[in-house]
């Protein structure tokens, strides 16, 4: 509410009412761009808060996939002898874990973003989509910190990137798109049903077991490959390994995963925009 001074010297209050756009659920990219400085602030604050009062700080972004890789290498690589397509198992597992950790961290942060910033939502207006988007971008910073370890492992095992290495950013972009689409849906759902925050860790555990992080998708019968692509991260992780190591391509699997990611993005945007008007009242 603002005040407008009249010609006679009196002051008359002026109220501006902000309503959600009725655009069929399409994201208002122009408005989001106008608030890009706020997005930068949200990402920076998310990173600072996450590592505040920690001894190791941002090193946790590297330790999480690295320690998981060590455990998998001992129990699955050495004891269970899980095949890795001629790639040393530690390198095989870490390549998948880089993408998987990025995805799960982005989904988790995006899901909690609206509830964690409820004071902002109830006090000022800004495009609410910036909150889950900032969660995905903050997870991107962690992922970038874990990539140098992958380079060190490739040098240690004497593996050079394949000719398709230029596609690696595209697969990371697909992982981010999948996380954003799912995060938009879950963040809006989490505002109304707080059970979501308790279900996410359990869902991620089951998702991890059904994703080719610790094993190759070639273990599945060929007839199941396309169906397996319904898991969007299956195609993304296999595609990332293909771009990095030049492994056997799984074109059909990747196409199905890309289609699912696009559906998740469109569906997540539409549901988020439809629920946008209720966030301040419910949160």
């Amino acid at each position: 509410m603002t005040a407008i001074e009249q010609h006679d010297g009196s002051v008359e209050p002026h109220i501006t009412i902000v309503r959600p756009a009725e655009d069929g659920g399409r994201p208002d990219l122009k408005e989001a761009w106008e608030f890009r400085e706020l997005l930068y602030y949200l990402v920076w604050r998310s990173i600072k808060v996450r590592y505040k009062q920690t001894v190791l700080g941002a090193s946790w972004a590297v330790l999480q996939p690295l320690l998981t890789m060590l455990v998998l290498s001992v129990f699955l690589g050495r004891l269970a002898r899980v095949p890795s397509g001629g790639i040393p198992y530690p390198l095989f597992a870490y390549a998948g874990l880089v993408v998987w950790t990025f995805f799960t961290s982005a989904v988790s942060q995006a899901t909690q973003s609206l509830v964690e910033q409820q004071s902002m939502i109830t006090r000022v207006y800004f495009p609410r989509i910036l909150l889950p988007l900032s969660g995905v971008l903050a997870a991107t910073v962690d992922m970038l910190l874990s990539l140098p370890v992958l380079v060190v492992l490739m040098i240690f095992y004497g593996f050079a990137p394949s000719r398709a290495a230029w596609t690696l950013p595209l697969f990371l972009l697909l992982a981010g798109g999948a996380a954003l689409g799912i995060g938009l849906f879950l963040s809006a759902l989490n505002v109304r049903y707080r059970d979501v925050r308790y279900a996410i860790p359990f869902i991620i555990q089951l998702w991890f077991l059904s994703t080719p992080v610790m094993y190759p998708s070639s273990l599945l019968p060929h007839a199941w490959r396309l169906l397996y692509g319904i898991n969007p991260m299956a195609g993304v992780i296999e595609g990332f390994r293909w771009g990095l190591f030049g492994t056997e391509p799984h074109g059909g699997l990747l196409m199905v995963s890309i289609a699912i990611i696009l559906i998740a993005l469109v569906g997540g945007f539409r549901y988020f925009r439809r629920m946008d008007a209720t966030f301040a009242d419910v949160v």
Side-chain angles (χ1 to χ4, degrees), residues 120-168:
M120 288 183 60
I121 294 176
T122 55
R123 291 180 183 177
V124 297
Y125 173 77
F126 61 95
R128 311 304 193 208
I129 197 173
L130 295 184
L131 292 175
L133 180 58
S134 68
V136 175
L137 293 178
T140 304
V141 175
D142 288 348
M143 180 268 296
L144 293 175
L145 292 175
S146 66
L147 286 178
V149 177
L150 181 59
V151 175
V152 171
L153 286 174
M154 294 189 68
I155 295 174
F156 178 79
Y157 286 107
F159 267 76
S162 73
R163 295 180 179 179
W166 62 272
T167 63
L168 297 179

Side-chain angles (χ1 to χ4, degrees), residues 183-216:
L184 285 171
F185 175 78
L186 291 179
S187 62
L189 195 65
N190 190 41
V191 170
R192 185 172 294 274
Y193 305 106
R194 300 302 168 85
D195 308 73
V196 173
R197 66 177 297 180
Y198 301 107
I200 286 297
F202 175 68
I203 293 173
I204 287 178
Q205 288 180 9
L206 295 180
W207 204 333
F208 175 72
L209 295 174
S210 60
T211 303
V213 177
M214 52 187 174
Y215 57 85

Side-chain angles (χ1 to χ4, degrees), residues 103 170-171 173-175 177-179 182 207 210-212 217 224-240 250-265:
F103 170 74
L170 300 179
F171 291 112
L173 184 62
L174 285 173
I182 296 169
W207 204 333
S210 60
T211 303
S217 63
W224 288 82
R225 300 278 179 86
L226 291 180
L227 184 62
Y228 193 43
I230 294 177
N231 174 359
M233 293 308 296
V236 172
I237 289 178
E238 287 289 16
F240 186 83
H250 301 281
L253 173 68
L254 179 59
M255 291 299 103
V256 174
S257 292
I258 291 176
I260 296 298
I261 291 172
L262 293 177
I263 292 173
L265 275 171

Side-chain angles (χ1 to χ4, degrees), residues 20-277:
E22 299 178 357
D23 56 2
R26 294 189 301 273
D28 191 342
L29 299 180
K30 181 180 179 181
E31 184 183 38
W33 175 253
E34 292 174 352
F35 283 81
R36 60 189 180 277
E37 292 184 3
L38 175 60
L39 177 62
Y40 172 79
Y41 166 77
L42 290 171
V43 173
W44 178 244
R45 188 176 69 168
S46 176
I47 296 172
K48 288 181 63 177
V49 169
R50 188 160 67 255
Y51 297 122
K52 185 179 181 181
Q53 295 182 330
T54 60
V55 177
L56 298 178
S59 299
W60 284 111
V62 177
L63 287 175
Q64 184 176 350
L66 183 60
L67 294 178
T68 305
M69 178 269 289
L70 292 175
V71 172
L72 294 178
S73 297
V74 172
F75 289 97
L76 297 182
R78 285 188 174 273
L79 300 180
R81 300 292 182 181
V82 173
S84 55
I87 304 167
Y89 190 85
L91 183 56
F92 172 88
Y94 190 82
L97 284 167
V98 166
V99 184
W100 175 255
T101 304
F102 164 50
F103 170 74
T104 55
S105 176
V107 169
S108 299
Q109 292 185 58
T111 299
Q112 296 298 325
S113 60
L114 295 180
V115 174
E116 290 178 350
Q117 305 298 335
Q118 53 185 301
S119 59
M120 288 183 60
I121 294 176
T122 55
R123 291 180 183 177
V124 297
Y125 173 77
F126 61 95
R128 311 304 193 208
I129 197 173
L130 295 184
L131 292 175
L133 180 58
S134 68
V136 175
L137 293 178
T140 304
V141 175
D142 288 348
M143 180 268 296
L144 293 175
L145 292 175
S146 66
L147 286 178
V149 177
L150 181 59
V151 175
V152 171
L153 286 174
M154 294 189 68
I155 295 174
F156 178 79
Y157 286 107
F159 267 76
S162 73
R163 295 180 179 179
W166 62 272
T167 63
L168 297 179
L170 300 179
F171 291 112
L172 294 176
L173 184 62
L174 285 173
L180 180 59
I182 296 169
L184 285 171
F185 175 78
L186 291 179
S187 62
L189 195 65
N190 190 41
V191 170
R192 185 172 294 274
Y193 305 106
R194 300 302 168 85
D195 308 73
V196 173
R197 66 177 297 180
Y198 301 107
I200 286 297
F202 175 68
I203 293 173
I204 287 178
Q205 288 180 9
L206 295 180
W207 204 333
F208 175 72
L209 295 174
S210 60
T211 303
V213 177
M214 52 187 174
Y215 57 85
S217 63
S218 57
L219 292 180
L220 276 72
H222 187 77
W224 288 82
R225 300 278 179 86
L226 291 180
L227 184 62
Y228 193 43
I230 294 177
N231 174 359
M233 293 308 296
V236 172
I237 289 178
E238 287 289 16
F240 186 83
R241 287 198 182 110
W242 166 76
L244 189 61
F245 305 123
T247 55
E248 178 187 357
H250 301 281
L253 173 68
L254 179 59
M255 291 299 103
V256 174
S257 292
I258 291 176
I260 296 298
I261 291 172
L262 293 177
I263 292 173
L265 275 171
V266 174
F269 274 125
R270 291 183 66 87
Y271 183 73
F272 189 91
R273 293 283 288 185
R274 190 174 68 181
M275 301 299 294
D276 195 345

